[in-house]
């Protein structure tokens, strides 16, 4: 078009005589978009600052019911142009903010400002990656980023295939879906799970619960997942994996996939990838590696060797909203061989007609479980250009060093008991109480005590096994700016809460 | 904490002596976040403006290979602090911008600036809705918004349940998953699809292809989906649905679900919801209504009656990144009865331990297929407070009126042929050519001609059936600011391209 349309739109929405309804209906795109966004972004930045000041700590203090009542009241009162700032202040006040050094519970990272700003560009333009003509540059950009990441994990970039995902849960689902469709016959997509098949998915006891969820979703059933025992650090025991294969053989079951974990949620343990890959190869079974957490170690020269053998996986999950400091979502699924990546191929006449493909129009539709899809690749691509791989590696190293420092503090604190040495950036420990049931109660309660006081957000988990005495606390250290003094203060708060709980 | 940590962080990252690496590593959260974001947001807004000016039209002109080469070159050159602005300009230059009146191909809306700004707050704070202690206020806010939306579709807010999703594809998958797990027995999650079952999903020929995808993913097989014939406007024929139920009965197959569409992608047609609900009820079969597109009509007093009967669905898909002007993703899944929503219940000891729930800590983990999950509810809640339901309804009405205007222009243009009257905001037509094969070739080629010239982004689809002559063009009108003159200019461009193709 000739620009006339944009000028008319600018007239319609701009000028002194603009009505409140017209102002509220301004769009973020086109040449007028930045000016429409500027005052609203100012409202948001002011609301973020005011909310953080009012919160004054890592998490909003108080009981969940009180927070819910405040949200209800704010939603009932807010209306008109100022509502954006009011609701932003509410969201910031009512947050658990991982940028606060005392917020260290989950694989919930404090995002880099550069990644957040890049994500604003994506929201404003709203490209959707289900067809080229909704996302010309974004389509090419995702392909380029995936080739870089394939090389990072040791795959051949020209042979690998992949997609950005909403996270490890979706990536693990995709890995198991490809494994299912490969192993149970090419017809499973068309005709469903063949009758009489008894599928098995072999994963460690410490594998993420999304593996069970994926098996249930895929129609294999959760019980298809067999939990392979782990050592104290929560690494899969390869001898036990060999036993699980043998058991499947005796029972006439079909091993569909082995899932190895590179960075368990709790201890950051990495399964012995070469030993697992050897067994998977011997049995002709798909190997999916869940590196949602541990994948970040690939940026660190010091930690990358932990993931040696990752290049032998058939498919891999990576999550840059964990050790990559991206706002959610920034998941990645990669398959080593593009030819195994056929399950999702679909022809939608309104999105990827055959004659468009012949004319050179690429389509990412067959890469994803989704249709409409935001280009989450952009923020990571921008972050990699601004910081570089080494810059991200330095942040990984700082968090790793903080885990070592925190473990050292736990070791020298008599009230606390370390579970095992940190592998990546988590520290698993407990407030030491001799009676197992009382230990569980006290640790669970002290964590809620810290939440209610708005003083700290500490993780809580349970070791594998049965019976009492397994509840543990956890620091998940993802803030590269946290100092040793702050770690000491955080652990001091845990001790105080343990005494009072 | 006492504020000491944040001050130390501010020292570490602020001040005149800040190194480039420290500047690049600034976080978006905490009290220092807004100041870290401001210069980066300025870079992004400048890049968006410069890219839109350089593009100068609805889509980057040229072949996909040229766009890909430009992206590769930019990624190779960009590094350091300025890379964010450079890459943003690239993304904007290389966009198909739905804020331009000549970009009207897909259900790909131009977002409202207010929704985009609200999304920035979400990115900056990075709440994750898989546990309360990652998203205290966001957890409550999603529940409140879902209650409002349940009421909007006619469900009882206290009895309904739901979740924000990545879009209609995920929502349709969830509906079919609940249907599968209800109909094939409570054990299907644990033990997989029972042997010997022959499942059926009944959906119209014009239902979204994600229904087939969902059946394949769920282990039912694509062939479980039976395509029920439609009328010219692409509405499901209830007599044909009755036949499909009878056929399933003769074959001993199990009808797992009926999927009705409220707003087909091409014509916006709404299946006869009451007639379909009557048949589903008679056969005791789950009714899922895909209102991903048509749901927006609920905001319009004029169009809402089209969706009469929606309240009889067992589950519903809604997408506010279509007729709701949100940046992707803003999907919603709703189930009428919370008790049917059990498939995803999981106990993850590190996310929703039983004693936390007893202590009043709510968990949304069991509502979603995902684990990490961005609060997409926030931008829609903010939009609803700033514009109101009526404000959104006015935008829906303007797009509907534009569809009627565009159809009138098509009718009076001898070179063009209208397929049927617009229902919502799409117009299906073709450049009229007598020979069916030549008609298909000419219409497909004229669309690519407009893309290559950077002149217009027009949709292309195919009518149901077999053989040549089914290719059609489509305008999907989602820009409420588009004028009648712009519609005329867009259709004039189509005619010119048809003459030259």
């Amino acid at each position: 078009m000739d620009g006339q349309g944009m000028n008319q739109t600018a007239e319609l929405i701009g000028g002194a005589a603009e009505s409140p309804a017209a102002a509220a209906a301004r769009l973020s795109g086109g040449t007028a978009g930045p000016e429409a966004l500027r005052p609203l972004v100012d409202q948001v930045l002011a609301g973020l600052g005011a909310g953080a000041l009012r919160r004054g700590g890592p998490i909003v203090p108080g009981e969940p019911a009180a927070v819910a009542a405040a949200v209800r009241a704010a939603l009932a009162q807010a209306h008109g142009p100022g509502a954006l700032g009011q609701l932003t202040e509410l969201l910031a006040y009512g947050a658990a903010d991982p940028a606060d050094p005392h917020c260290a519970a989950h694989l919930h990272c404090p995002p880099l400002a550069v990644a957040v700003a890049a994500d604003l560009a994506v929201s404003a333009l709203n490209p959707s990656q289900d067809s080229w003509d909704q996302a010309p540059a974004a389509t090419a950009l995702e392909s380029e980023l995936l080739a870089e990441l394939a090389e990072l994990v040791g795959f051949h970039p020209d042979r690998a295939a992949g997609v950005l995902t909403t996270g490890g849960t979706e990536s693990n689902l995709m890995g198991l879906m490809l494994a299912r469709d490969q192993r149970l016959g090419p017809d499973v997509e068309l005709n469903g799970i063949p009758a009489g098949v008894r599928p098995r998915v072999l994963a460690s006891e410490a594998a993420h619960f999304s593996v069970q969820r994926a098996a249930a979703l895929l129609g294999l059933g959760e019980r298809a997942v067999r939990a392979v025992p782990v050592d104290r650090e929560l690494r899969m025991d390869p001898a036990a994996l060999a036993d699980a294969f043998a058991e499947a053989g005796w029972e006439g079951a079909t091993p569909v996939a082995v899932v190895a974990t590179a960075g368990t949620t709790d201890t950051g343990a990495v399964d012995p990838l070469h030993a697992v890959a050897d067994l998977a190869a011997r049995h002709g079974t798909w190997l999916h590696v869940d590196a949602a957490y541990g994948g970040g170690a690939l940026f660190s020269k010091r930690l990358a060797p932990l993931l040696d053998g990752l290049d032998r996986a058939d498919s891999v999950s990576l999550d840059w909203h964990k050790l990559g400091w991206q706002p959610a979502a920034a998941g990645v699924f990669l398959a080593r061989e593009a030819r195994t990546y056929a399950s999702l191929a679909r022809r939608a006449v309104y999105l990827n007609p055959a004659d468009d493909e012949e004319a050179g129009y690429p389509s990412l539709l067959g890469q994803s479980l989704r249709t409409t899809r935001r280009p989450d690749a952009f923020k990571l691509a921008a972050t990699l250009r601004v910081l570089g791989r080494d810059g991200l590696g330095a942040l990984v190293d700082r968090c790793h060093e903080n885990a070592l420092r925190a473990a050292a503090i736990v070791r020298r604190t008599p009230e606390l008991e370390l579970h095992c040495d940190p592998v990546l950036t988590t520290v698993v420990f407990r407030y030491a109480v001799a009676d197992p049931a009382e230990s569980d109660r006290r640790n669970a309660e002290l964590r809620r005590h810290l939440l209610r006081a708005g003083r700290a957000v500490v993780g809580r988990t349970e070791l594998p096994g049965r019976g009492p005495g397994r509840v543990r606390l956890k620091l998940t250290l993802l803030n590269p700016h946290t100092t040793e003094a702050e770690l000491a203060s955080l652990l001091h708060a845990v001790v105080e809460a343990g005494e009072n709980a």
Side-chain angles (χ1 to χ4, degrees), chain A:
Chain A
M1 63 176 276
D2 51 14
Q4 179 201 359
M6 283 194 185
N7 290 338
Q8 289 189 345
T9 303
E11 273 172 43
L12 191 75
I13 65 176
E18 189 183 31
S19 71
R26 284 181 179 214
L27 304 177
S28 61
T31 49
E35 288 320 305
L37 281 167
R38 197 172 296 277
L40 300 168
V41 165
D42 285 344
Q43 265 197 62
V44 165
L45 295 181
L48 288 172
L53 270 177
R54 197 174 132 213
R55 191 181 65 237
I59 188 168
V60 56
E63 299 279 353
V67 175
V71 167
R72 264 193 303 275
L75 284 173
Q77 282 159 20
H79 66 95
L84 175 65
Q86 293 163 27
L87 292 179
T88 300
E89 185 178 335
L90 170 80
L91 194 72
Y93 168 69
D97 186 349
D100 187 297
H102 280 199
C103 183
H106 295 280
L107 287 165
H108 168 216
C109 73
L112 290 163
V114 65
V116 169
D119 209 21
L120 172 65
V122 170
S123 289
L125 291 164
N126 202 27
S128 180
Q129 305 206 260
D130 49 324
S131 69
W132 186 89
D133 62 357
Q134 296 174 81
T139 296
L141 188 131
E142 175 166 293
S143 302
E144 293 297 317
L145 180 74
L146 287 168
E148 289 177 26
L149 296 175
E151 184 261 319
L152 183 72
V153 306
F155 290 167
H156 193 302
D158 295 340
R159 289 169 59 184
V163 74
L164 273 281
T165 68
T166 51
T169 295
E170 184 180 350
S171 299
N172 289 346
L173 173 64
M174 293 187 76
L176 290 185
M177 176 189 70
L178 296 193
R180 179 195 74 174
D181 295 353
Q182 286 258 319
R183 186 57 184 259
L184 300 185
D187 245 20
V188 63
E189 295 157 60
L190 281 176
N191 293 315
I193 312 255
V197 167
R198 299 163 66 196
R200 281 280 190 290
V201 174
L202 307 177
S204 92
E205 285 178 286
H208 195 253
F209 69 91
S210 56
V211 175
Q212 268 90 4
R213 271 195 167 187
L217 191 65
L218 291 166
L220 303 172
E222 266 186 58
R223 285 197 185 130
V225 182
R226 292 302 154 103
V228 179
V230 293
D231 66 14
R232 182 176 173 83
E233 197 185 273
L234 307 188
R235 271 180 307 221
M236 186 191 274
D237 172 3
L241 178 62
D243 291 347
F245 268 115
E247 189 186 281
W250 301 329
E251 294 179 4
T254 306
V256 168
V258 178
V259 179
T261 308
T264 59
T265 307
D266 287 340
T267 61
V270 180
D271 287 342
L273 297 180
H274 278 295
V276 173
D278 288 345
L279 281 162
R282 190 175 312 156
H283 293 273
T285 301
W286 185 279
L287 173 59
H288 177 75
V289 179
D290 178 354
Y293 176 21
L298 295 169
F299 290 125
S300 154
K301 289 189 178 60
R302 189 197 307 166
L303 296 175
L306 286 172
L307 272 67
D308 195 47
L310 182 60
D311 58 333
R312 296 177 65 187
D314 293 290
S315 56
V316 169
S317 302
L318 302 167
D319 262 8
W320 306 113
H321 53 249
K322 295 187 166 90
L323 268 181
W325 296 281
Q326 302 298 301
V332 170
F333 174 74
L334 288 172
R336 195 184 62 233
E337 302 289 342
R339 65 179 160 70
T340 64
Y341 201 119
S343 298
L344 292 170
R346 289 291 181 290
R347 184 71 65 196
V349 290
Y350 77 96
L351 291 174
N352 61 348
D355 56 278
D356 267 9
E357 275 192 20
E358 283 159 21
Y361 286 83
S363 167
L364 302 179
L365 184 67
Q367 305 302 110
S368 177
L369 291 171
R370 290 179 276 162
T371 309
T372 295
R373 189 158 65 81
R374 177 187 180 99
D376 288 318
F378 183 71
K379 58 195 173 193
L380 181 59
T383 303
L384 279 167
R385 263 61 198 174
V386 171
L387 273 83
R389 286 192 189 183
D390 289 347
L392 281 172
L395 301 185
V396 172
D397 286 344
R398 281 152 77 174
C399 292
H400 175 64
E401 284 154 16
N402 271 342
L404 299 177
R405 285 189 192 107
I409 298 171
V410 169
R411 257 197 221 92
R412 66 176 181 252
T413 304
E415 294 88 349
L416 303 179
E417 177 193 286
L418 189 69
H419 176 67
C420 65
D421 288 328
V423 180
L424 297 172
T425 72
T426 59
V427 184
V428 178
F429 67 105
R430 66 170 173 159
Y431 184 82
V433 176
D435 176 66
E438 173 58 14
S439 171
D440 287 354
R441 194 201 62 78
R442 187 86 69 97
N443 279 278
E445 179 50 33
L446 84 82
R447 177 181 148 276
R448 287 190 294 267
H449 180 86
L450 291 167
L451 289 179
R452 280 192 299 266
R455 195 172 173 196
V457 189
V458 170
R460 164 251 165 89
T461 190
E462 292 173 23
L463 300 175
R466 295 187 172 279
R470 295 181 298 110
V471 171
R472 291 294 180 280
L473 301 173
K474 176 171 65 166
L475 301 184
T476 304
L477 298 165
L478 296 180
N479 185 338
H481 304 304
T482 296
T483 64
E484 181 151 15
E486 287 160 345
L487 293 171
S489 151
L490 173 57
L491 287 163
H492 179 69
V494 170
V495 171
E496 278 194 352
E499 283 162 1
N500 298 327

